[in-house]
Amino acid sequence: MPWYIWYFLQTINILTLLYFVLLNFIYLFTSLIAFRFLRKYNWQLKSVHTEDLLSMVGVPPISLIVPSYNEEATCVQSIKSFLNLKYPEYEILVVNDGSKDSTREKLIESYDMRLSSRAPIASMKTKSIRGIYQSKRHPNLWLIDKENGGKADAQNAGISFCRTPLLCILDADSLLDKDALLRLVRPFLSDKNTIAAGGTIRIVNDCTVNAGVVTEVQLPKNVWARFQVLEYLRAFLSGRVGWSVLKSMLIISGAFGLFKRSSIVDIEGFYTNTIGEDMEATVRLHRHFRERKIPYSIAFVPDAVAWTECPETVKILGNQRDRWQRGLMETMFRHIFMLFNPRFGRIGLIAFPYFFFLEMLGPIIEILGYIAFFISLYLGIVNTPFAIAFLLAAFVFGVALSITAVGLEEVCFRRYPKTSDLFHLFYLAIVENFGYRQLNAFWRMRGVFSKLRGKKGWGKMTRKGFATEKPK
Amino acid sequence: MNIIYYLRDWIVYAELWNATLVLLALSILIFFLLSLLLAGYTILLRFIHIKQKRRWEALESRWEQSLLEILSGGAPVDNLHHLVHKNERLYFVDFLQRFAQLLKGTDIDTLKSLARPYLEGIQRRLESKDAERRARAVQTLGILGLEIYADDIIRALDDPSPLVALVAARSLANRNHPQFIKPVIAKLHRFENWSPNYLISMLVSVGPDIIPDLRTSLTDSNIFPDVRAIICDALRELNDLGSADLANSILQNPVHRELSAACLRLLARSGRPSHLETIRTLIHSQDDVIRIQAIKALGQLGDVEDRKSLKEAILDSSPWVALQAARGLLETGGLSDLKAIADSDRERSVLARQVLAEETQ
């Protein structure tokens, strides 16, 4: 065997090992921080009465901005959920982004909407507005009908018409817990420097929904959706809570995020030329405030919950992960100036490098690692005991981290009331290591190639709608 | 060169791999044990929660019936004390606290008398090193024993933890005991990081009895202007007509943006035509925030003479000023002027149409 191939394979093996150790160390670190925080938070929650906030005279009004594109299957239910929220003063701005299906017609018909006048307050450049409708039955419900310009363009259109101090960005296929807004607004009350706060996203597939409210939580029947339940628990309870405690949150999810209107207007809204507009906007907020040395805070509220429908087929799930990877790469390269830049403090020195090297380059290292590893094993470069130990370590680390996430859920929230669901989550923590994890790495690797090929757009997401409670 | 050869040999002749193998084996063992422990802990937690829930339900059902009898006057207070065992005292206080949040009037006094024998245990928790625990103790004492433990709660306003101090302030801001608000007002600056809206709401919850104290603080130039702005907004929310003159005099010599804006908001709600002169001087302020509030106040208090200024302000560079001006024009009887703008193809015609549409709702 030529010496350079030998060195190449060994370099990849060592790189994979380093990546693997570092990634798991950071996951473990954020999980431990999250554990400590959530235990304390659980105590705090016991003394928080969201009803108190309802009676507050000065609780800041909120605009919910709901960009909608071909959402005919879920939009009416979602809006119903938004109309039933417990919050003293809010309005809903649904932005129909030139849907090709009957989203607009369904909303107009279901909510008795009529053409109305409303002037934009901020001057965001967006695709042209075709009409503005207001519901006769619910005066706080508006429909902004515009030409198709993408999700970020629709969000910007909503921001232009927003006239409340806070705005909440939501997905049209999401449902909110009744008190989700009351919970999400808390960081804005306890710290006047708060400019954004994100909530937890949970999977609604096969949960029972009644009048836009999730009434019974259970694990989905579809196996791909089940894996995603575990993934979301890991991402939100271990990941985002941990990064939030470190004051280094780089993502406020576009499915449920609350922003100070003036801050989002200051950064000129969401960037339209990316598919990861939520992460890009969060990074840009960090950059904007740090460059100007303005004190600010971006918070995560784990008990504020939005429910979303997740993909149930391999194809759609693969497309989603491909898109997430492209979004991540776009944000990382757009703000690469922040990488290891001490001017941006812990964002430039810790959070950004983590996302750049471990999240963005992770799938490349992982897939190359798998290939190099098996070739090395075949050629006898790596000995068999080492190979077994490495695979076993990868498996045990993965299981430990997933079980930690399930444990965090149990410490604080216990949203899956059946004990059998708990055991099933443990089972998933084990089996996801045999295929699902590798498939995920493959999809993300495909995302890297898609990005390099210059692929744009979202791909298709089919919605089946929410499982509604049967009349008793 | 020796180092390079050494490193090469280290990699080639497997010392690196052997060392890594040992490390991997160790970490597998650690993570395997960790996984088992975590899984066990999670299952244990689940069973503890189930057991706690059952215990709580059993305790509640044991106490609830007696409590309802006591509240309806059908049984003496002692009846319930007999049902509280020594190790259930904290549960019992928690139970009463939850009830207290649902009840009003004399029922609350009954709950307080039921809780009284157990509150000393809660008071001891004020010395705890854990801020969360202290905060919870202050909250409980505030709900079930404010009259007896007021001094402790007032002392908690100086607690090193801002959370404890704020819970103390919330407890002292009590509609039935307006006398406790003075120390809260004196410590408002401690809560500078909290949203002003939250603090305003806290003050307003005490009701109109605190108006004299708030007025005194509003005019006290030794108090931080940010705090005075909060006090001014609280007076506005309490619809205090008498403080309009105070706000007007503060605006004669405006020194602080938030305070001036709060004074203008107060004038918009409670002002009189005699305050118009002051307001008119501020409608051309360079500061958007002041201009918005001045135009809003002018719209509320202004007369026919002010329509010209309001019409001009509709073309202001700030859409917020324009919106307030359009609403003000309508308030001052300028409907035809606003309709003319709405029917034109001028810059703010959509805004004018919006305000006209709001009027018809």
Side-chain angles (χ1 to χ4, degrees):
Chain A
M1 185 195 337
W3 65 269
Y4 52 86
I5 292 185
W6 191 94
Y7 273 103
F8 176 72
L9 288 171
Q10 286 296 54
T11 309
I12 300 280
N13 284 334
I14 291 169
L15 204 64
T16 310
L17 192 67
L18 281 177
Y19 159 77
F20 168 77
V21 169
L22 200 60
L23 186 70
N24 282 296
F25 172 75
I26 292 174
Y27 281 162
L28 186 69
F29 182 63
T30 53
S31 298
L32 289 176
I33 292 174
F35 180 74
R36 193 166 175 266
F37 171 81
L38 285 175
R39 261 185 52 162
K40 216 171 171 188
Y41 192 72
N42 201 23
W43 271 96
Q44 274 182 13
L45 282 183
K46 284 181 186 164
S47 57
V48 168
H49 300 282
T50 48
E51 303 294 332
D52 284 357
L53 294 176
L54 271 178
S55 59
M56 265 184 67
V57 290
V59 68
I62 295 176
S63 295
L64 307 185
I65 295 175
V66 191
S68 306
Y69 179 71
N70 294 347
E71 302 282 359
E72 62 179 11
T74 53
C75 65
V76 174
Q77 275 270 41
S78 298
I79 302 304
K80 198 181 271 178
S81 141
F82 303 152
L83 282 167
N84 285 325
L85 291 173
K86 278 203 279 185
Y87 198 80
E89 197 182 340
Y90 69 100
E91 60 178 7
I92 304 163
L93 308 177
V94 183
V95 187
N96 177 42
D97 190 36
S99 295
K100 288 177 185 144
D101 65 359
S102 60
T103 302
R104 175 178 161 276
E105 289 72 22
K106 277 205 160 175
L107 288 171
I108 288 175
E109 194 195 322
S110 305
Y111 294 105
D112 192 12
M113 307 200 86
R114 311 280 166 90
L115 263 176
S116 184
S117 275
R118 184 169 171 136
I121 294 289
S123 47
M124 302 266 174
K125 275 186 190 160
T126 63
K127 294 278 180 185
S128 61
I129 307 291
R130 296 193 289 219
I132 293 178
Y133 301 80
Q134 188 179 16
S135 168
K136 272 283 198 193
R137 271 188 282 136
H138 308 280
N140 63 334
L141 174 61
W142 295 77
L143 172 65
I144 299 164
D145 184 31
K146 65 179 277 288
E147 281 174 14
N148 181 259
K151 189 178 177 186
D153 193 66
Q155 287 167 335
N156 287 342
I159 294 166
S160 295
F161 287 92
C162 166
R163 49 192 184 199
T164 54
L166 300 179
L167 59 91
C168 182
I169 301 290
L170 291 165
D171 273 353
D173 60 330
S174 296
L175 299 174
L176 293 185
D177 274 352
K178 270 196 162 194
D179 56 1
L181 274 188
L182 279 174
R183 292 179 184 275
L184 195 58
V185 84
R186 287 203 313 264
F188 291 87
L189 300 175
S190 59
D191 183 357
K192 66 180 179 188
N193 292 327
T194 303
I195 54 162
T200 300
I201 313 292
R202 288 175 181 270
I203 304 282
V204 74
N205 300 43
D206 292 319
C207 293
T208 310
V209 177
N210 194 11
V213 178
V214 178
T215 51
E216 195 186 332
V217 181
Q218 59 182 21
L219 281 180
K221 292 181 183 80
N222 179 281
V223 67
W224 302 107
R226 285 187 172 193
F227 282 131
Q228 289 171 80
V229 169
L230 191 63
E231 267 187 313
Y232 276 54
L233 286 182
R234 254 195 331 253
F236 284 92
L237 297 186
S238 299
R240 293 206 190 165
V241 170
W243 286 108
S244 167
V245 175
L246 294 170
K247 297 188 187 306
S248 303
M249 262 232 311
L250 281 200
I251 313 178
I252 295 279
S253 171
F256 187 35
L258 190 59
F259 297 87
K260 198 169 172 180
R261 181 193 169 280
S262 56
S263 304
I264 210 89
V265 170
D266 282 349
I267 62 161
E268 295 171 358
F270 290 90
Y271 182 53
T272 51
N273 204 14
T274 179
I275 44 167
E277 78 295 327
D278 46 2
M279 183 181 197
E280 199 283 329
T282 316
V283 172
R284 203 144 36 91
L285 279 171
H286 279 293
R287 189 171 168 173
H288 178 87
F289 280 84
R290 284 190 178 260
E291 277 176 344
R292 285 159 187 77
K293 295 189 168 60
I294 305 168
Y296 74 102
S297 164
I298 293 180
F300 179 70
V301 185
D303 55 311
V305 176
W307 299 85
T308 193
E309 197 187 325
C310 73
E312 291 195 343
T313 66
V314 183
K315 192 180 170 198
I316 297 174
L317 180 58
N319 286 342
Q320 185 195 55
R321 299 307 150 100
D322 177 311
R323 191 175 72 233
W324 285 2
Q325 179 68 22
R326 280 184 284 138
L328 174 64
M329 288 176 75
E330 282 167 2
T331 301
M332 291 290 107
F333 285 113
R334 192 171 150 78
H335 298 281
I336 199 160
F337 168 73
M338 293 170 78
L339 185 67
F340 291 124
N341 190 333
R343 210 174 133 196
F344 298 100
R346 60 182 76 196
I347 300 299
L349 297 175
I350 302 170
F352 204 93
Y354 163 77
F355 276 92
F356 192 92
F357 290 107
L358 298 177
E359 291 289 341
M360 188 185 81
L361 298 180
I364 302 173
I365 300 171
E366 205 171 323
I367 293 287
L368 280 179
Y370 285 131
I371 296 168
F373 186 76
F374 286 109
I375 294 175
S376 306
L377 197 62
Y378 177 72
L379 296 175
I381 297 171
V382 175
N383 61 34
T384 312
F386 177 81
I388 293 169
F390 183 73
L391 289 175
L392 206 60
F395 167 70
V396 176
F397 282 15
V399 172
L401 292 168
S402 295
I403 289 178
T404 310
V406 180
L408 291 175
E409 166 74 4
E410 195 57 30
V411 165
C412 220
F413 305 110
R414 296 181 288 285
R415 295 302 290 259
Y416 293 94
K418 291 183 196 161
T419 308
S420 59
D421 283 348
L422 194 67
F423 284 107
H424 201 93
L425 285 170
F426 288 149
Y427 167 71
L428 290 172
I430 295 168
V431 295
E432 71 162 354
N433 294 287
F434 303 104
Y436 184 72
R437 246 174 81 171
Q438 293 74 16
L439 205 54
N440 234 317
F442 167 74
W443 287 326
R444 289 169 63 200
M445 178 83 167
R446 200 179 71 189
V448 175
F449 286 115
S450 303
K451 179 67 201 154
L452 294 176
R453 282 202 316 272
K455 183 180 172 185
K456 297 212 180 250
W458 279 63
K460 206 174 171 184
M461 166 78 189
T462 315
R463 309 269 180 217
K464 66 170 187 180
F466 306 114
T468 310
E469 201 166 50
K470 291 183 188 83
K472 285 167 187 163
Chain B
M1 283 306 278
N2 282 341
I3 294 172
I4 292 170
Y5 285 130
Y6 175 76
L7 271 176
R8 192 199 63 184
D9 292 347
W10 197 59
I11 292 169
V12 173
Y13 298 114
E15 279 92 344
L16 168 68
W17 300 113
N18 287 338
T20 317
L21 191 62
V22 173
L23 272 179
L24 274 178
L26 265 177
S27 51
I28 289 167
L29 188 70
I30 292 168
F31 273 78
F32 179 69
L33 291 175
L34 190 70
S35 303
L36 282 181
L37 270 175
L38 279 170
Y41 176 68
T42 309
I43 295 165
L44 189 71
L45 264 185
R46 169 61 61 107
F47 288 117
I48 288 172
H49 284 136
I50 292 172
K51 204 179 159 196
Q52 265 181 348
K53 200 179 162 202
R54 282 185 193 148
R55 186 180 180 207
W56 182 241
E57 280 167 0
L59 288 174
E60 264 195 353
S61 64
R62 197 207 304 166
W63 294 331
E64 203 172 302
Q65 188 55 38
S66 299
L67 179 66
L68 293 175
E69 278 172 20
I70 292 166
L71 288 174
S72 63
V77 170
D78 282 350
N79 269 17
L80 194 46
H81 287 312
H82 297 309
L83 296 175
V84 183
H85 303 141
K86 202 176 173 184
N87 59 345
E88 295 166 357
R89 286 173 178 177
L90 286 178
Y91 279 108
F92 183 64
V93 174
D94 219 33
F95 168 77
L96 294 177
Q97 192 176 330
R98 284 202 294 130
F99 256 87
Q101 276 148 3
L102 306 170
L103 299 176
K104 281 179 183 167
T106 52
D107 289 342
I108 291 276
D109 295 331
T110 311
L111 293 180
K112 285 178 180 174
S113 63
L114 278 166
R116 198 161 297 149
Y118 312 111
L119 290 182
E120 265 184 39
I122 304 288
Q123 188 197 21
R124 280 195 292 274
R125 291 186 159 211
L126 292 174
E127 306 302 322
S128 164
K129 282 181 183 170
D130 182 2
E132 309 291 331
R133 190 172 272 225
R134 292 201 303 277
R136 210 154 150 66
V138 169
Q139 192 188 29
T140 306
L141 294 177
I143 293 171
L144 296 171
L146 181 60
E147 298 84 347
I148 303 166
Y149 297 97
D151 288 343
D152 291 295
I153 300 174
I154 290 171
R155 265 197 300 278
L157 286 170
D158 291 316
D159 193 282
S161 156
L163 177 72
V164 178
L166 193 86
V167 173
R170 264 176 61 186
S171 304
L172 292 166
N174 187 310
R175 184 173 274 272
N176 298 322
H177 300 283
Q179 72 273 21
F180 296 139
I181 202 67
K182 261 188 187 168
V184 176
I185 295 173
K187 301 284 177 185
L188 271 182
H189 61 275
R190 272 211 72 187
F191 314 123
E192 58 174 357
N193 276 338
W194 280 72
S195 148
N197 288 349
Y198 186 86
L199 301 173
I200 293 161
S201 187
M202 186 175 78
L203 294 175
V204 171
S205 69
V206 184
D209 287 340
I210 65 164
I211 285 175
D213 287 328
L214 291 181
R215 280 188 194 169
T216 311
S217 302
L218 177 63
T219 50
D220 186 348
S221 56
N222 293 319
I223 294 177
F224 294 101
D226 282 327
V227 173
R228 289 167 72 198
I230 289 165
I231 288 166
C232 189
D233 277 323
L235 283 164
R236 169 177 56 89
E237 287 297 333
L238 289 164
N239 293 314
D240 177 36
L241 299 174
S243 56
D245 285 335
L246 304 178
N248 191 55
S249 66
I250 291 169
L251 286 170
Q252 300 306 314
N253 194 12
V255 284
H256 187 267
R257 181 201 215 194
E258 293 309 322
L259 180 58
S260 300
C263 288
L264 283 164
R265 281 194 290 270
L266 191 142
L267 288 185
R269 174 80 66 92
S270 317
R272 294 185 296 279
S274 58
H275 302 132
L276 270 171
E277 261 333 290
T278 312
I279 294 166
R280 284 178 188 137
T281 59
L282 294 168
I283 60 170
H284 299 295
S285 164
Q286 294 296 308
D287 187 334
D288 278 9
V289 174
I290 304 291
R291 216 161 64 244
I292 292 165
Q293 298 306 332
I295 287 290
K296 189 176 177 184
L298 191 68
Q300 294 295 317
L301 300 176
D303 49 33
V304 184
E305 281 176 42
D306 296 304
R307 278 192 213 154
K308 189 169 172 272
S309 304
L310 291 167
K311 266 174 78 177
E312 282 169 10
I314 289 179
L315 298 174
D316 192 284
S317 58
S318 159
W320 297 104
V321 175
L323 182 63
Q324 294 304 339
R327 285 176 179 161
L329 194 57
L330 206 59
E331 289 286 332
T332 52
L335 178 66
S336 54
D337 289 329
L338 197 61
K339 274 187 175 165
I341 297 169
D343 294 338
S344 71
D345 53 0
R346 286 167 68 182
E347 196 187 340
R348 300 288 189 196
S349 59
V350 180
L351 185 113
R353 283 200 291 277
Q354 174 197 318
V355 172
L356 286 169
E358 283 172 1
E359 179 65 10
T360 56
Q361 274 174 16

